[in-house]
Structures are given as structure tokens and as C-alpha cells.
Amino acid sequence: MSRQKIAAGNWKMNKDLNEAVKMVLFLKDQDRPKDTLTVLGVPFPFLQTCINETIGSTDLIVAAQNCHHKESGAFTGEVSVPMLKSIGVSHVIVGHSERREYFMETDEMVGIKVRILLNHSMVPIFCCGEPLEVRKEGSHESYVKNQISKALFTLNKEEIIKLIIAYEPIWAIGTGETASPEQAQEMHHTIRTHLKAKFGKVSDEISILYGGSVNPGNAKELFSQTDVDGGLVGGASLQEEGFLSIIHSF
């Protein structure tokens, strides 16, 4: 079965409202491949406006970059899954390495977020990946498999198939360093094999994205790998023509 091809952009804490709308309208007006889903990870203040600009589109959607792990409560400054759903958000990035590193999010916390999102019929974009010291030690495969086991292995087959997974080698995020196509394929295959051991053949239907300094120059070769179904793109997703080029890289 062919998996969904996905070009996802994570804007992080960048752009103002005018810049965000300009980017959405630019992509909306372009001739993009119909078999590729374009996802824009938009900052919280701009979500509603950007969603309004994409109403009716099935191949260009807006995602939130995070959510809280509680449905409601006294958590000043946080945003819950029900809040996001109420404004039309369908996809949410969870477990990004920056959330894990700077805000001390654990695998267990990320797993709770995944569960809440699924309970509200929303799509988690689950991030995993190893830091440089783990890669140098050669224990990167066991590290990532452990992240997945802790966060996702309470799900069943019907639930796991609803996820999008993004493998992000932390040493390649924002550094200009990129895993080679062979390294990316190796880890994507490891992830899919690990999922298959738990969930069976449905794992062949899960899109696994590569995130780690994807750019117009390397996207085509990365996306051509057997188990790489697209990218979760950081800095390069902020540039209109560059991100459009990445979308066409399939």
C-alpha cells in the first residue's frame, strides 16, 4: 500500500501575522502535486486566521506546534487539545526535540498528548530522535526505539495507524548538518521494523518523515529513500519558493 507523501513545515517561533498569511496564500495559489499533503506548523496566535484561509483544501492544512497534556485546568499560558479542535485544527506536532530539551517533556508526557489527540479524532505528528552523543556512542537505534515504546506502545493497531511519525536526528536540527540519505533510510527502516514487531503489517501504512536540515538541495534524494515518506522541515519552510521546491521534491 502506498503511504501518504507529506511535506510538513514547522515555523517554530517565526513570522508575524502578515507574513504567515502571505505564506499560506502563496502556497494555496501554487500548482502543487495533488498526491502530496502540505502541512504548515503555525504559531498559536495565527492558527485561526491561517485555517480560515485553507478552508475547503484537502492537500494544504494547518497544524499546531504543540498542545498541553491536560484537557483543561489552571495552566496559565497553555493551550489544550479541545481549544485547538474548536478552531478547526486537525494535526498537532508533539514531542519535538526542542520541547523535550527546553521544556523537559518526557516520553510519558508526549504519550499522554498522543492519547488525548486521538481521543478527539485529531492527528498527532509524533517526533523522535537522538542527540549527537547518543549517535556517536552507536546507541541511536535503541534510544529511538525506547522513545517510541514509552510513548506509543499503549496504543492499538487502529490507533497507531492514525499517527504521522517524524524522525529528527537532534544533531541535524538547525545545524546545517543532515543525515545522509543512507543514514535516514536506516533509521526510518529501524522505526518501521520496531513498529511492525508490535503492531504488525499496519506499520507499512504509517508515514514516517525525516526532520533535520531538509532543504531544496537535499530533499529529493532524502525523499527517494524507501522508508522516507516526506519531511518535517524547519528553517527552509519559512521561505516561499524554497519550501515549494521541497514540496515538489517527490
Side-chain angles (χ1 to χ4, degrees):
M1 176 176 289
S2 61
R3 294 182 292 272
Q4 175 74 69
K5 300 174 183 176
I6 302 171
N10 179 14
W11 293 354
K12 306 187 180 184
M13 198 173 70
N14 293 292
K15 294 190 179 292
D16 62 21
L17 179 58
N18 290 335
E19 292 168 339
V21 172
K22 182 174 179 286
M23 181 76 168
V24 172
L25 293 178
F26 170 81
L27 292 172
K28 185 178 176 181
D29 291 341
Q30 299 305 306
D31 181 22
R32 290 173 287 104
K34 298 303 179 185
D35 63 344
T36 299
L37 177 64
T38 301
V39 181
L40 301 177
V42 173
F44 285 135
F46 315 146
L47 282 170
Q48 183 71 82
T49 302
C50 291
I51 287 170
N52 290 345
E53 296 293 350
T54 58
I55 289 175
S57 174
T58 57
D59 62 348
L60 176 63
I61 62 172
V62 173
Q65 297 177 13
N66 185 40
C67 62
H68 197 262
H69 63 285
K70 297 285 188 180
E71 299 246 0
S72 62
F75 303 102
T76 300
E78 293 295 330
V79 178
S80 71
V81 170
M83 289 176 180
L84 295 173
K85 186 173 184 179
S86 73
I87 62 170
V89 173
S90 60
H91 292 57
V92 180
I93 299 170
V94 293
H96 192 279
S97 61
E98 291 159 2
R99 298 296 312 178
R100 294 174 185 264
E101 181 179 0
Y102 303 143
F103 301 95
M104 309 306 167
E105 294 190 3
T106 64
D107 295 317
E108 290 79 8
M109 184 185 295
V110 176
I112 293 170
K113 293 183 181 188
V114 168
R115 169 62 65 191
I116 295 174
L117 286 164
L118 292 174
N119 288 347
H120 286 275
S121 301
M122 298 166 72
V123 179
I125 302 175
F126 171 82
C127 301
C128 56
E130 80 282 359
L132 181 60
E133 59 270 19
V134 171
R135 166 66 67 161
K136 286 184 174 179
E137 291 171 358
S139 55
H140 46 286
E141 291 190 4
S142 60
Y143 184 93
V144 172
K145 285 159 62 173
N146 189 53
Q147 285 182 315
I148 291 170
S149 297
K150 285 185 175 180
L152 304 182
F153 275 17
T154 61
L155 303 178
N156 59 38
K157 292 181 181 180
E158 291 71 28
E159 293 167 331
I160 194 69
I161 201 172
K162 296 174 183 176
L163 270 67
I164 297 167
I165 293 177
Y167 165 64
E168 308 177 304
I170 298 172
W171 46 272
I173 297 175
T175 64
E177 295 291 331
T178 310
S180 69
E182 293 76 19
Q183 286 175 317
Q185 167 58 25
E186 178 185 52
M187 280 303 299
H188 281 232
H189 179 70
T190 294
I191 290 168
R192 199 177 303 284
T193 301
H194 187 53
L195 292 169
K196 190 173 291 186
K198 172 68 175 178
F199 300 104
K201 291 184 178 180
V202 298
S203 304
D204 290 329
E205 302 175 35
I206 299 172
S207 293
I208 305 178
L209 314 182
Y210 172 77
S213 297
V214 178
N215 61 61
N218 61 27
K220 186 173 183 179
E221 190 172 8
L222 285 166
F223 295 174
S224 69
Q225 302 302 307
T226 303
D227 286 292
V228 179
D229 304 308
L232 179 60
V233 185
S237 72
L238 301 174
Q239 307 299 321
E240 295 175 359
E241 294 291 347
F243 189 50
L244 181 63
S245 174
I246 290 171
I247 294 168
H248 281 282
S249 294
F250 292 97

